[in-house]
């Protein structure tokens, strides 16, 4: 007799968060009164009841082995009653009720190679995508760029001495799984050549109407090649978004000689002071140069340093640039302004300067 | 191959040094449990040499009865790196607010040690726990182990993607509604729409407790629920005086930075004209003890954010200016259903709801989902006189 199959469990949803909450958090849920930053990466939240919870935040590479996760679990057992969480920027946080545990935990985290910081006017962890580690459409790697950029900026993570928060994000193609489009500094992988149409396999793997509809500029049209149904790309109309490749594997975009990185600045999602805004183009192209991407690192560090020197207290990168004006941003950073900086897509006209407000 | 039988990775090895934690070290650490990690390193090194990715396009794999939650991934160089010939990802719905106990973490690790590469992302961009890399035959057993431990898969494809939220009232004094409860309840309400993709494209929902928007909902979610309050800021004059005494320049750092210039400081007393306050959070951020959101709390609902693909990036815009906290769940459930119904019927393939609204016009969208226009929805009324007057005024 065969064993009856075990009953499958489906559609149960996530575990309820309540069972993972520290007792002090559970008790004071929704009753927090204020918080203080005790040191970079160390927050103290005080409740109406007078009770306090201490959070110790450390940077992680986001890509974590189960071996490291078990180290985090052991540290949580030792110092925070087993309670921990992750932040929206891939930092780990330990939640402590005993302030005496803060310093020993910080010490162990530092020894294990996880810097404590990322709070207030620091550069927090870089939100990023999968890159070559796991993505089929990436123009570049993501984890490697994050590592290369954060190494020289690590002190900006462990200190809070910038004018305001600074959020960096990396996306390895225009899909932007990392939603870099509203970051203080965004690093974006780009293609610069049209897809190469593989006519031999296209009819077998793609729906032509869907493929044609996928192009935002209408650059793809039906064509018969060697008697078979296929498509052609009007190359002058292609802006290399890779959308066609997403719906049809027969139009690969990868081009090691021409793929690269672009740098965008001045976006934010918070409503503090000024409204949320998109990041704008600073550098249209930098070479894809693993393993340490020196051109990208130099460009980002330069922008961070110029910002740190010139921005006023509380000014995010975008707010600083709006005050000084874009011409001065390009002058101060030494970045060249090119034809590629002028938008030519849907709402381009909104970005033209339509006033006589000018600084010379 | 090096002497120890491990693949040589001279380029990746350069990313092991330096103060920032190294993902290469993580992959090497996971080697002890899984041969997949060796071949992952090998293939990644090849990408670093050739400056191009080596994963094939997509691949339909999954678990029984679900249309999402697993991302199929196959190597395009399987002969060289057979252990990552299949290297599928599981998306696992995170607990709201990304809270865990050490036991929960160890449970996840044990399951993944048995069924996959031992590599994770904590967390993916949308918020899920990511189990990075396993073979097709491991998907179902891994899923059922997770389910027995109380975890379920997240969304992928043209589905409601895994909702996520900020830390909320669990550890933040500014949260204007219970982001964790609302995120959790919304996720449970729409399990079918998450696991069995029914839509023209993806639909993301993010819950932020206040206008600081720590989950970037206004940039990244088709539906952004952002907490705010209606009444006056709560003000503690003694604490304001403490900040001043501690050296904070209240005129310069608080009043002059206020976007609506609603505050005055006379050197001893901060006076706020609350009717002019736009609830941006700056003064509260600077003086957490002295100023706090009011007590008449709730959230605004905004719609339409997305990254550039297909028709360009969008930020969410105001759809419902204010919903009291106690009405949020029911309002949200009702509104989501109406939005989905319209989008499902009129959205083109791969058209996000924000793009649909741009195409048909916000006014038509409001008609379709039964909302009245409100001045809070626009930054300004139109300046364009080409108005599509309706031939017959709608009968109310």
């Amino acid at each position: 007799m065969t064993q009856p199959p075990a009953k499958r469990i489906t559609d149960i949803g996530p575990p309820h968060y309540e069972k993972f909450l520290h007792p002090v958090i559970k008790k004071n849920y929704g009753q927090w009164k204020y918080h203080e930053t005790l040191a970079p990466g160390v927050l103290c939240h005080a409740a109406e009841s007078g009770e306090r919870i201490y959070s110790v935040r450390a940077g992680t590479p986001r890509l974590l082995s189960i071996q490291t996760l078990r180290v985090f679990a052991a540290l949580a057992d030792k110092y925070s009653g087993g309670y921990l969480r992750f932040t929206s920027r891939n930092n780990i946080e330990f939640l402590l009720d005993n302030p005496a545990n803060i310093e020993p935990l910080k010490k162990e985290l530092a020894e294990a190679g996880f810097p404590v910081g990322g709070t207030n006017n620091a550069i927090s962890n870089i939100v990023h995508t999968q890159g070559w580690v796991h993505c089929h459409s990436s123009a570049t790697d993501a984890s490697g760029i994050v590592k290369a950029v954060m190494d020289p900026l690590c002190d900006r993570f462990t200190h809070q001495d910038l004018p305001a928060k600074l959020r960096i994000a990396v996306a390895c193609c225009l899909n932007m799984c990392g939603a870099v489009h509203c970051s203080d500094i965004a690093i974006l992988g780009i293609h610069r050549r049209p897809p190469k149409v593989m006519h031999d396999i296209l009819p077998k793997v793609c729906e032509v109407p869907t493929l044609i509809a996928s192009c935002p500029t209408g650059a793809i049209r039906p064509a018969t090649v060697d008697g078979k149904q296929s498509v052609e790309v009007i190359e002058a109309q292609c802006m290399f978004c890779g959308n066609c490749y997403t719906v049809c594997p027969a139009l690969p975009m990868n081009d090691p000689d021409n793929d690269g990185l672009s740098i965008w600045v001045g976006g934010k999602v918070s409503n503090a002071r000024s409204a949320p805004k998109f990041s704008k183009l600073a550098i249209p192209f930098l070479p894809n140069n693993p393993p340490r991407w020196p051109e990208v690192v130099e460009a980002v560090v330069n922008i961070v340093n110029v910002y740190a020197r010139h921005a006023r207290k509380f000014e995010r990168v975008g707010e600083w640039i709006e005050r000084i004006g874009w011409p001065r941003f390009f002058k101060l950073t030494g970045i060249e302004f090119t034809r590629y900086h002028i938008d030519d897509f849907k709402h381009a006209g909104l970005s033209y300067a339509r006033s006589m407000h000018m600084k010379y | 191959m090096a002497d120890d039988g491990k693949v040589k990775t001279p380029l990746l090895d350069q990313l092991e040094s330096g103060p920032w934690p190294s993902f290469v070290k993580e992959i090497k650490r996971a080697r002890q449990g899984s041969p997949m990690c060796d071949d992952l390193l090998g293939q990644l090194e090849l990408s670093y040499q050739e400056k191009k990715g080596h994963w094939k396009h997509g691949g339909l794999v999954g678990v029984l009865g679900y249309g999402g939650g697993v991302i199929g991934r196959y190597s395009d160089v399987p002969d060289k790196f057979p252990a990552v010939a299949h290297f599928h990802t599981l998306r696992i719905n995170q607990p709201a607010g990304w809270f865990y106990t050490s036991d929960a973490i160890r449970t996840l690790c044990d399951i993944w040690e048995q069924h996959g590469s031992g590599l994770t992302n904590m967390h993916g961009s949308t918020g899920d726990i990511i189990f990075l890399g396993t073979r097709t035959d491991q998907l179902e057993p891994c899923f059922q182990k997770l389910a027995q431990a109380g975890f379920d898969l997240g969304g992928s494809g043209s589905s409601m993607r895994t909702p996520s939220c900020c830390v909320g009232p669990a550890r933040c004094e500014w949260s204007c509604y219970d982001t964790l409860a609302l995120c959790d309840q919304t996720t449970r309400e729409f399990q079918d729409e998450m696991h069995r993709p029914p839509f023209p494209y993806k639909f993301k929902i993010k819950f932020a407790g206040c206008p600081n928007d720590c989950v970037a909902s206004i940039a990244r979610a088709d539906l952004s629920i952002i907490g705010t309050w209606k009444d006056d800021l709560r003000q503690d004059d003694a604490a304001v005086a403490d900040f001043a005494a501690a050296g904070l320049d209240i005129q310069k750092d608080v009043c002059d930075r206020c976007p609506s210039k609603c505050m005055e400081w006379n050197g001893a007393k901060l006076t706020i004209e609350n009717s002019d306050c736009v609830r941006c959070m700056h003064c509260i951020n600077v003086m957490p003890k002295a100023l706090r959101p009011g007590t008449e709390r709730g959230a605004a609902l905004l719609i339409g954010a997305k990254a550039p693909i297909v028709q360009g990036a969008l930020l969410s815009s105001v759809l419902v200016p204010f919903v009291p906290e106690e009405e949020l769940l029911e309002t949200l459930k009702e509104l989501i259903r109406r939005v989905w119904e319209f989008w499902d019927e009129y959205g083109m393939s791969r058209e996000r709801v924000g793009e649909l609204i741009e195409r048909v016009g916000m006014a038509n969208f409001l008609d379709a989902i039964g909302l009245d226009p409100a001045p809070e929805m626009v930054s300004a009324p139109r300046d364009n006189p080409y108005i599509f007057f309706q031939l017959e005024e709608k009968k109310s």
Side-chain angles (χ1 to χ4, degrees):
Chain A
M1 258 179 57
T2 52
Q3 284 282 103
K7 189 172 154 36
R8 285 182 84 246
I9 305 168
T10 67
D11 298 274
I12 56 172
H16 200 273
Y17 55 91
E18 216 174 81
K19 62 183 186 188
F20 300 139
L21 298 180
H22 191 291
V24 171
I25 285 182
K26 217 184 254 184
K27 221 165 114 192
N28 297 285
Y29 193 92
Q31 298 299 319
W32 300 102
K33 194 175 175 192
Y34 67 93
H35 76 274
E36 294 168 327
T37 306
L38 303 183
V42 184
L43 303 173
C44 166
H45 283 79
E48 302 278 5
S49 68
E51 285 189 289
R52 284 158 199 267
I53 192 92
Y54 302 88
S55 305
V56 175
R57 179 182 297 178
T60 82
R62 185 179 85 134
L63 199 171
L64 291 168
S65 63
I66 51 173
Q67 288 76 13
T68 294
L69 285 173
R70 285 173 178 145
V71 170
F72 289 155
L75 286 173
D77 283 342
K78 194 166 167 188
Y79 295 113
S80 61
Y83 295 95
L84 69 167
R85 70 177 291 269
F86 291 83
T87 72
S88 56
R89 300 193 75 87
N90 311 117
N91 298 303
I92 187 164
E93 276 180 353
F94 297 87
L95 302 154
L96 291 62
D97 53 23
N98 181 1
N101 282 338
I102 294 171
E103 287 309 318
L105 172 59
K106 281 172 72 176
K107 190 161 167 274
E108 284 209 47
L109 282 167
E111 283 163 7
F114 297 97
V116 172
T119 45
N120 296 324
N121 296 347
I123 293 181
S124 190
N125 204 342
I126 299 186
V127 165
H128 63 282
T129 55
Q130 296 290 12
W132 291 330
V133 173
H134 206 257
C135 185
H136 66 282
S137 71
S138 52
T140 182
D141 193 28
S143 310
I145 295 177
V146 170
K147 168 72 176 150
V149 169
M150 279 311 283
D151 272 339
L153 291 175
C154 195
D155 282 352
R156 302 276 192 196
F157 180 87
T158 54
H159 295 71
Q160 306 178 130
D161 49 10
L162 284 165
K165 291 178 193 312
L166 202 151
R167 301 283 185 247
I168 306 178
V170 172
C172 50
C173 81
L174 268 63
N175 275 314
M176 290 192 190
C177 305
V180 304
H181 56 300
C182 295
S183 304
D184 292 286
I185 301 177
I187 304 165
L188 175 64
I190 49 167
H191 301 290
R192 294 188 304 156
R193 290 294 180 270
K196 296 170 257 318
V197 186
M198 299 163 78
H199 297 292
D200 49 336
I201 64 159
L202 190 141
K204 280 175 274 181
V205 296
C206 308
E207 270 182 46
V208 170
T210 310
L211 171 57
I212 289 170
S214 75
C215 180
T217 64
I220 299 175
R221 61 186 180 197
T224 306
V225 179
D226 296 333
K228 280 190 213 157
Q229 193 196 20
S230 187
V231 298
E232 63 180 0
V233 177
I234 306 160
E235 300 203 345
Q237 251 166 270
C238 178
M239 35 64 161
F240 324 111
C241 67
N243 215 0
C244 53
Y245 177 65
T246 300
V247 302
C248 174
L251 277 85
M253 298 289 298
N254 278 347
D255 181 339
D257 296 329
N258 290 294
D259 293 344
L261 290 309
S262 54
I263 308 287
W264 305 71
V265 297
K268 71 196 272 281
V269 294
S270 151
N271 284 271
R273 299 166 307 281
S274 59
K277 45 187 140 247
F278 288 123
S279 311
K280 317 289 194 295
L281 182 64
I283 304 176
F285 177 78
L286 291 168
N288 199 9
N289 205 354
R292 284 248 167 218
W293 287 270
E295 298 86 355
V296 173
V297 172
E298 190 191 337
V300 172
V301 170
N302 175 48
I303 294 168
V304 171
N305 288 342
V306 173
Y307 160 73
R309 237 183 355 259
H310 292 274
R312 292 181 187 160
K313 201 170 165 187
F314 298 119
E315 276 178 345
R316 295 281 293 264
V317 171
E319 294 167 322
W320 162 61
I321 297 173
E322 277 174 11
R323 175 172 59 79
I324 65 170
W326 285 96
R328 190 162 293 166
F329 167 80
F330 283 99
K331 198 173 169 189
L332 286 172
T333 54
I335 296 169
E336 185 192 2
F337 186 84
T338 70
R339 68 190 308 283
Y340 298 124
H341 289 89
I342 303 174
D343 193 5
D344 42 23
F345 198 50
K346 275 183 162 177
H347 307 297
L350 296 174
S351 65
Y352 302 161
R354 297 181 288 193
S355 88
M356 279 305 292
H357 293 195
M358 277 187 267
K359 289 175 182 161
Y360 295 104
Chain B
M1 290 278 172
D3 296 340
D4 59 357
K6 305 274 189 207
V7 64
K8 271 192 176 173
T9 54
L11 293 174
L12 290 173
D13 294 350
Q14 294 178 47
L15 289 169
E16 287 188 78
S17 57
W20 191 253
S22 164
F23 73 102
V24 176
K25 276 189 188 163
E26 290 299 318
I27 303 176
K28 289 192 173 179
R29 214 167 269 167
R31 265 175 165 173
Q32 49 186 271
S34 169
M36 283 184 153
C37 297
D38 276 315
D39 277 3
L40 177 64
L41 281 168
Q43 180 174 315
L44 192 56
E45 180 75 11
L46 187 65
S47 287
Y48 271 56
Q49 284 164 11
E50 296 179 349
K51 304 185 186 185
K52 65 182 258 202
H54 279 289
W55 298 107
K56 270 198 229 173
H57 192 293
L60 283 174
V61 288
V63 299
L64 207 63
Y66 279 16
V70 180
I71 313 301
R73 197 63 78 217
Y74 297 93
S75 170
D76 73 0
V77 281
D79 296 342
K80 281 187 192 153
F81 306 108
V84 293
H86 310 199
F87 200 64
H88 312 315
T89 286
L90 287 148
R91 289 185 184 159
I92 300 147
N93 198 156
Q94 80 286 0
W98 299 290
F99 282 94
Y100 297 92
T101 55
S102 52
D103 285 342
I105 293 284
R106 276 186 289 263
T107 301
L108 289 167
C109 291
D110 293 348
I111 294 171
W112 193 225
E113 182 162 48
Q114 204 181 341
H115 293 287
S117 70
L119 295 173
T120 74
N121 287 149
M122 299 299 273
H123 293 79
S125 294
T126 298
D128 299 278
I129 302 160
I130 306 293
F131 277 4
L132 208 57
T134 193
R135 300 186 59 82
T136 308
D137 58 8
Q138 295 298 315
L139 293 170
E140 176 67 22
C142 186
F143 167 50
Q144 280 306 299
K145 285 262 179 65
L146 286 164
Q148 282 154 18
F151 287 89
D152 196 352
L153 299 188
S156 68
S158 296
S159 70
M160 178 184 85
R161 296 298 183 85
T162 311
S164 73
C165 66
C166 68
V167 70
R171 202 212 46 203
C172 183
E173 67 270 30
W174 298 330
S175 195
C176 292
Y177 69 97
D178 191 337
T179 56
L180 292 91
L182 205 63
C183 181
D184 189 82
Q185 287 158 348
T186 307
T187 309
R188 287 179 208 287
E189 177 76 15
F190 299 113
Q191 283 289 293
D192 199 35
E193 287 82 355
M194 188 157 93
H195 296 310
R196 297 163 196 90
F199 300 133
Y201 206 10
K202 64 186 88 170
F203 194 92
K204 298 187 176 186
I205 306 175
K206 289 189 189 295
F207 300 87
C210 83
N212 282 326
D213 199 355
C214 290
V215 279
S217 71
I218 204 165
R220 306 179 64 169
D222 296 274
L223 190 61
S224 324
I225 297 94
I226 305 179
T228 188
W229 65 97
K230 263 196 152 169
D231 54 346
D232 292 354
L233 284 165
R234 281 179 293 167
Q235 184 175 344
D236 177 341
D237 284 329
V240 174
D242 288 346
F243 273 102
L248 182 73
D249 187 336
I250 292 184
Q251 181 61 44
K252 198 169 162 216
D253 294 338
V254 181
C255 300
D256 293 353
R257 288 279 174 209
C258 171
S260 60
K261 301 285 177 278
C262 73
M263 3 187 99
E264 277 177 29
W265 170 247
N266 67 6
K269 163 95 179 140
L270 184 70
T271 311
I272 303 174
E273 180 46 58
N274 272 281
S275 64
D276 285 336
C277 169
V278 292
R279 294 155 179 84
C280 82
M281 295 297 292
H282 173 76
C283 59
I284 299 175
N285 292 343
V286 176
M287 300 194 289
K289 205 173 179 176
L291 296 171
R292 291 197 280 166
T295 51
E296 192 186 344
R297 296 178 172 205
L301 312 181
L302 294 83
I303 193 157
K306 58 183 288 293
I309 303 295
V310 178
Q311 294 292 343
L314 296 170
L315 289 167
S316 282
S317 70
V318 175
L319 190 62
V320 184
F322 188 81
V323 183
E325 178 169 18
E326 57 280 8
E327 295 170 22
L328 265 172
L329 180 62
E330 288 314 309
T331 305
L332 202 57
K333 284 200 268 190
E334 168 75 21
L335 185 83
I336 288 174
R337 288 205 166 89
R338 286 196 222 169
V339 169
W340 283 350
E341 195 183 342
F342 179 72
W343 180 45
D344 220 14
E345 187 163 3
Y346 292 95
M348 298 190 296
S349 169
R350 301 185 68 246
E351 184 174 51
R352 297 278 287 270
V353 74
E355 289 165 324
L356 171 65
I357 294 170
E358 288 230 311
R359 180 163 62 83
V360 303
M362 179 61 92
N364 286 329
F365 177 72
L366 294 176
D367 285 347
I369 64 166
L371 281 184
D372 291 329
E376 288 86 354
M377 295 174 180
V378 293
S379 59
R382 70 165 74 218
D383 49 22
N384 142 45
Y386 299 152
I387 304 175
F388 291 102
F389 282 108
Q390 294 173 318
L391 293 179
E392 205 179 329
E393 281 299 309
K394 267 197 185 161
K395 294 177 185 77
S396 54

